[in-house]
């Protein structure tokens, strides 16, 4: 039995376990999973999954690479080399940054929502994770937003090349707020565009 990992959110599909909640019984081989099946965590399509089961030789090579990486990391910490940053510190930087940071997968579903985003838009993290970006986009702006989003996912770059733009967004209260946002496409060397990150700060009303 093999396992497949969602390259968007990291969810694991285990052939031995299946996904009974969504009609895929335990023991269902990956090739027999319906093509319209989607990731139960983020909604990504089946094609976004990658096999993560390795044979013994591959596992041995990866173990050796991991050992080398561990040694390098230890040397960095001993010498004070700032090229090494513990994952917990990276997460704290994202979570506690002064500007709102929002990451959405290539289907436009929110996967990262920091504390500044909670303060700016009024939604708690648990209220938005896995939901469409529509939750903060005024209805009249949605068509233009999604046209640009799909183009960015296809081309691997944004229209404004990271330059901040002033726009309207929706607060949890239903109030429209003015924000300054910059966007960037997040690209994976093997998978291509996997989503988009937005960094936002509130501006004065017009």
């Amino acid at each position: 039995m093999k396992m497949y990992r969602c390259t968007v959110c990291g969810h694991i599909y285990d052939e031995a376990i299946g996904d009974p909640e969504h009609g895929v019984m335990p023991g269902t081989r990956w090739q027999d999973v319906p093509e319209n099946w989607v990731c139960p965590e983020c909604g990504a399509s089946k094609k976004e999954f990658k096999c993560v089961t390795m044979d013994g030789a591959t596992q041995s090579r990866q173990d050796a690479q991991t050992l080398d990486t561990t040694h390098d990391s230890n040397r960095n910490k001993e010498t004070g080399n700032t090229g090494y940053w513990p994952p917990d510190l990276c997460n704290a930087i994202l979570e506690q940054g002064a500007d709102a940071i929002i990451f959405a997968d290539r289907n436009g579903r929110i996967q990262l929502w920091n504390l500044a985003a909670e303060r700016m838009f009024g939604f708690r993290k648990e209220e938005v994770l896995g939901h469409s970006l529509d939750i903060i986009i005024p209805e009249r702006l949605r068509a233009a937003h999604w046209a640009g989003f799909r183009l960015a996912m296809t081309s691997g770059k944004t229209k404004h090349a990271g330059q901040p733009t002033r726009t309207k967004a929706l607060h949890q209260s239903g109030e429209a707020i003015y924000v300054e946002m910059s966007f960037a496409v997040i690209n994976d060397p093997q998978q291509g565009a996997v989503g988009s990150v937005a960094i936002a700060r509130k501006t004065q009303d017009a």
Side-chain angles (χ1 to χ4, degrees):
M1 290 288 166
K2 296 180 179 179
M3 292 184 293
Y4 294 79
R5 182 178 64 85
C6 176
T7 58
V8 176
C9 72
H11 175 75
I12 296 292
Y13 174 83
D14 188 333
E15 290 181 338
I17 298 173
D19 184 18
E21 187 176 347
H22 298 95
V24 182
M25 295 298 102
T28 301
R29 300 283 185 179
W30 182 248
Q31 60 266 33
D32 297 325
V33 175
E35 291 303 316
N36 63 352
W37 179 85
V38 298
C39 176
E41 294 293 331
C42 71
S45 64
K46 184 180 174 183
K47 68 180 181 180
E48 299 291 348
F49 281 69
K50 182 179 180 182
C51 182
V52 294
T53 302
M54 297 175 290
D55 58 30
T58 303
Q59 182 67 61
S60 296
R61 286 195 297 271
Q62 179 147 326
D63 287 344
Q65 291 169 354
T66 301
L67 185 60
D68 288 343
T69 301
T70 302
H71 288 165
D72 289 342
S73 297
N74 289 337
R75 284 195 294 271
N76 286 337
K77 287 185 284 187
E78 290 169 2
T79 61
N81 187 337
T82 56
Y84 170 81
W85 295 105
D88 287 347
L89 176 58
C90 294
N91 290 334
I93 292 170
L94 287 172
E95 186 67 19
Q96 299 173 35
D99 292 336
I101 302 175
I102 304 163
F103 172 73
D105 61 33
R106 63 179 297 114
N107 295 306
R109 295 188 178 276
I110 299 168
Q111 303 299 331
L112 187 151
W113 182 268
N114 71 350
L115 289 172
E118 289 190 2
R119 292 191 295 268
M120 179 179 295
F121 297 102
F123 292 100
R124 298 189 306 276
K125 182 181 301 185
E126 55 268 26
E127 294 178 299
V128 299
L129 291 183
H131 290 272
S132 168
L133 287 167
D134 279 345
I135 200 169
I136 59 169
I137 303 172
E139 186 172 359
R140 68 181 184 84
L141 300 180
R142 289 174 187 170
H145 165 82
W146 290 116
F149 187 91
R150 287 190 292 270
L151 180 60
M153 290 301 101
T154 301
S155 65
K157 59 185 179 181
T158 61
K159 176 180 179 181
H160 298 288
Q163 293 298 313
T165 58
R166 189 168 181 267
T167 187
K168 276 187 175 181
L170 279 180
H171 188 270
Q172 186 269 346
S173 65
E175 174 191 3
I177 59 175
Y178 284 91
V179 296
E180 186 178 77
M181 280 193 172
S182 61
F183 300 90
V185 175
I186 304 302
N187 289 291
D188 177 85
Q190 296 180 335
Q191 302 296 320
V194 295
S196 173
V197 63
I199 298 178
R201 61 178 55 183
K202 194 171 181 180
T203 64
Q204 294 297 319
D205 294 348

